[in-house]
Amino acid sequence: MLFKQQALLRQKLFVLGSLAIGSLLYLVARVGSLDRLQPICPIDDRLRPHGQDEIPLRALQFKRGLLHEFRKGNASKEQIRLHNLVQQLPKAIIIGVRKGGTRALLEMLNLHPAVVKASQEIHFFDNDENYAKGIEWYRKKMPFSYPHQITIEKSPAYFITEEVPERIYKMNSSIKLLIIVREPTTRAISDYTQVLEGKERKNKTYYKFEKLAIDPNTCEVNTKYKAVRTSIYTKHLERWLKYFPIEQFHIVDGDRLITEPLPELQLVEKFLNLPPRISQYNLYFNVTRGFYCLRFNIVFNKCLAGSKGRIHPEVDSSVITKLRKFFHPFNQKFYQITGRTFNWP
């Protein structure tokens, strides 16, 4: 009887020991796999002053959580000070183009651990009332960040507003400027589609695109229509070039960002002097949504708002042909100025 009890006890101890060892091995393997899957590495030496310790990704993720708590009022200013966080003026601005993919570009760049984005469009430089509040008001609209991180904001209206280039130049003459463009006719139709959707939500009627884009009196392209005027990229860029050299601009292919985002993001990383940190792991195609979504880490994924990727209304083919013919000489000049050629018809 005693022998049986001892044997049973040894068997229970063996089972418990096996479970404990198995659990330990699982945890070791799990931690190792997390490290291997980690898509973003610590910030490169180029992003911090010489002599400072590197800031690991986990610290950056913790900081993002802390900033979120601070914005909700759950963290004190003392906590922010202790973590050496500051609100910086942007070192780069996405200045346009409306319906070119500015939101997608900003969100994708935010995958990089050295980039901090302003979540909302500030409209500081294109809004006289906001601009009158001064540069300190603008700075306080920026997110908290480490001193050596890059803050980026985007306001597509900047590109087409006459006063903006001079105002930004006065703030920072060496700032880096990002412009994301799409095929001009497609962009104009997308612009129209957004306005049309807004009208329909309010149960209001709206003209067809053809009637707005083509002047009924001359049967030529209506350059007074804002959606058409915005797509004449070279006209707006020439105004910016009065203040900034072309080397301070980077042109992003908005059409390619939709279908093949990684190469475009890698070009932006290089332009901003950032070490390559965004990889294919961070981008995955969502079949249901029909475009790429973002993977920050093994836990956190994000897709753009449902309003992105609207279905365009059908437009008369003769109007599309007329618009493409109209934009063609402006496109050629845009290629020449920027040094980047697109396969636009």
Side-chain angles (χ1 to χ4, degrees):
M1 184 68 177
L2 179 63
F3 176 76
K4 288 184 178 180
Q5 288 178 340
Q6 288 176 340
L8 184 61
L9 179 61
R10 281 196 299 271
Q11 186 178 6
K12 287 182 179 180
L13 288 173
F14 176 77
V15 171
L16 289 173
S18 299
L19 288 172
I21 292 171
S23 299
L24 181 61
L25 289 173
Y26 171 79
L27 288 173
V28 170
R30 180 65 172 166
V31 170
S33 67
L34 284 174
D35 289 339
R36 288 194 299 274
L37 288 172
Q38 193 69 292
I40 306 171
C41 301
I43 296 179
D44 190 87
D45 286 348
R46 286 174 287 173
L47 298 176
R48 54 183 173 83
H50 181 70
Q52 282 193 2
D53 293 331
E54 288 188 357
I55 300 173
L57 173 65
R58 288 174 183 172
L60 291 171
Q61 291 172 332
F62 168 75
K63 198 64 63 178
R64 285 178 176 174
L66 180 65
L67 298 182
H68 181 65
E69 292 301 309
F70 180 73
R71 290 186 180 279
K72 293 194 304 180
N74 295 336
S76 68
K77 291 184 179 181
E78 180 64 16
Q79 286 177 297
I80 296 298
R81 186 188 66 79
L82 288 173
H83 287 281
N84 196 31
L85 293 170
V86 292
Q87 287 173 293
Q88 303 183 86
L89 291 173
K91 293 183 175 69
I93 300 178
I94 301 171
I95 59 174
V97 175
R98 172 180 159 90
K99 306 312 300 174
T102 57
R103 173 55 61 182
L105 177 60
L106 183 67
E107 296 293 341
M108 289 178 178
L109 289 178
N110 194 49
L111 288 164
H112 200 291
V115 170
V116 181
K117 69 178 175 71
S119 297
Q120 303 297 321
E121 294 179 8
I122 311 299
H123 289 286
F124 177 65
F125 297 102
D126 65 309
N127 183 298
D128 291 340
E129 184 178 341
N130 287 342
Y131 190 69
K133 295 174 182 177
I135 201 73
E136 191 61 19
W137 178 88
Y138 178 56
R139 187 181 66 81
K140 289 181 179 179
K141 291 292 182 180
M142 294 298 121
F144 285 91
S145 63
Y146 286 115
H148 42 273
Q149 285 182 303
I150 293 177
T151 298
I152 299 180
E153 78 123 323
K154 74 103 176 173
S155 293
Y158 289 169
F159 185 59
I160 62 171
T161 306
E162 289 188 14
E163 299 83 1
V164 171
E166 182 179 4
R167 288 174 175 179
I168 292 181
Y169 180 84
K170 287 179 178 178
M171 178 191 73
N172 183 358
S173 61
S174 61
I175 197 167
K176 297 198 172 187
L177 303 165
L178 295 164
I179 305 173
I180 180 167
V181 295
R182 296 189 68 192
E183 191 277 313
T185 301
T186 302
R187 195 223 63 83
I189 296 172
S190 181
D191 198 331
Y192 165 84
T193 304
Q194 178 170 304
V195 176
L196 175 64
E197 186 180 279
K199 297 285 186 181
E200 289 176 343
R201 279 200 304 266
K202 297 176 182 178
N203 294 318
K204 293 183 178 180
T205 57
Y206 196 49
Y207 295 109
K208 290 188 69 176
F209 176 79
E210 294 86 341
K211 191 168 184 178
L212 294 168
I214 305 298
D215 188 322
N217 297 318
T218 63
C219 292
E220 297 299 328
V221 173
N222 180 16
T223 56
K224 293 181 180 179
Y225 177 39
K226 188 175 181 180
V228 168
R229 201 165 62 248
T230 299
S231 286
I232 308 175
Y233 304 138
T234 185
K235 291 289 187 182
H236 306 293
L237 182 58
E238 285 173 343
R239 183 171 58 250
W240 283 85
L241 290 173
K242 293 176 182 178
Y243 295 91
F244 300 96
I246 193 63
E247 292 77 19
Q248 284 178 232
F249 295 87
H250 178 73
I251 310 301
V252 180
D253 186 340
D255 293 307
R256 192 184 184 199
L257 191 74
I258 295 171
T259 60
E260 197 179 359
L262 184 58
E264 287 299 315
L265 295 173
Q266 290 172 333
L267 289 173
V268 177
E269 284 180 321
K270 186 176 180 180
F271 172 70
L272 296 176
N273 296 320
L274 295 172
R277 291 293 181 267
I278 302 173
S279 71
Q280 194 61 57
Y281 173 81
N282 300 119
L283 304 159
Y284 67 96
F285 189 77
N286 186 310
V287 178
T288 304
R289 302 293 295 276
F291 50 79
Y292 279 86
C293 294
L294 316 179
R295 181 184 289 117
F296 286 83
N297 52 50
I298 200 169
V299 176
F300 180 52
N301 298 342
K302 180 178 182 179
C303 286
L304 297 179
S307 61
K308 304 300 178 183
R310 296 179 180 90
I311 298 174
H312 293 178
E314 189 172 335
V315 177
D316 189 286
S317 60
S318 65
V319 172
I320 292 177
T321 301
K322 188 182 287 286
L323 283 168
R324 286 177 172 170
K325 185 178 179 181
F326 168 80
F327 286 126
H328 182 75
F330 296 111
N331 295 342
Q332 296 302 310
K333 192 171 183 180
F334 185 70
Y335 302 159
Q336 185 180 7
I337 292 172
T338 62
R340 183 160 194 186
T341 302
F342 300 92
N343 296 319
W344 296 339

